Amino acid sequence: MLIKGEKIQEDTVVAIGKFAILWNWFEHYRCENNCNPHKIRNIAKNLHVDMEKQANLSKVLNERRNWFGQLELDYVVNSLHPGNARASSEEDIETMRQFMEQTGDDLICGCLLVIHRIRNNLMHGIKLLEELDGQIELFNAANAVLESIM
């Protein structure tokens, strides 16, 4: 499929479209149309997320991290917050790092904070069109997490 002069696989377009719809549902029904890290921290304690699906998202992120030869903290700071992206708090960065390592008591919160970063990077134009096909596994894993929320 040709979009703005870039050839993007149809599967990628479907995965990103699904991500946009699932995020819309999550933000509307779980965040009262105002999702931010503070709101995620407040609601994460009361959400049921399939632990296998959140662990798979962590696995996909760690595979990407290994491509760049980064430590978990470096990946969170540099890849989830590229360029001029708005910085997360130190507490949120630590929670996302623990999610990637699958340690700590806030795996659901860390998982949702990571998905929030993916959403921000996509919707604020930080993700490059020509790199989206290489991120289909990332969107599919995030979609599986969002679909599993009860």
Side-chain angles (χ1 to χ4, degrees):
M1 180 177 298
L2 198 61
I3 299 175
K4 289 300 229 178
E6 292 292 331
K7 186 170 170 47
I8 301 174
Q9 296 173 20
E10 189 170 326
D11 290 346
T12 302
V13 174
V14 169
I16 292 171
K18 188 174 183 179
F19 178 78
I21 292 166
L22 289 167
W23 182 264
N24 177 284
W25 175 90
F26 174 75
E27 187 157 355
H28 179 73
Y29 289 103
R30 297 294 186 229
C31 300
E32 301 168 345
N33 295 324
N34 184 24
C35 190
N36 57 58
H38 180 74
K39 177 75 84 170
I40 287 172
R41 283 198 171 279
N42 286 339
I43 67 170
K45 300 170 187 117
N46 300 316
L47 291 178
H48 171 75
V49 174
D50 184 295
M51 295 310 280
E52 194 173 305
K53 292 191 166 82
Q54 69 80 24
N56 185 57
L57 175 57
S58 173
K59 178 180 168 253
V60 168
L61 288 165
N62 279 297
E63 288 169 358
R64 297 181 63 75
R65 174 185 64 78
N66 285 329
W67 294 344
F68 303 115
Q70 294 176 317
L71 298 172
E72 288 85 355
L73 181 60
D74 295 331
Y75 186 83
V76 171
V77 170
N78 298 315
S79 294
L80 292 179
H81 298 82
N84 63 349
R86 184 175 294 158
S88 294
S89 71
E90 287 184 28
E91 180 183 17
D92 290 346
I93 288 171
E94 177 60 17
T95 303
M96 287 184 269
R97 183 194 62 76
Q98 288 178 2
F99 163 70
M100 289 189 63
E101 293 177 349
Q102 291 291 281
T103 61
D105 297 327
D106 290 330
L107 292 179
I108 291 172
C109 182
C111 180
L112 294 173
L113 287 170
V114 164
I115 293 173
H116 186 249
R117 290 299 323 148
I118 294 167
R119 175 258 180 222
N120 286 351
N121 291 343
L122 176 68
M123 296 303 171
H124 294 288
I126 296 172
K127 289 193 175 291
L128 301 175
L129 289 177
E130 61 269 16
E131 294 178 1
L132 291 176
D133 283 338
Q135 298 181 37
I136 190 167
E137 277 188 79
L138 178 64
F139 285 103
N140 285 337
N143 289 344
V145 170
L146 291 171
E147 284 181 313
S148 80
I149 294 174
M150 300 292 179

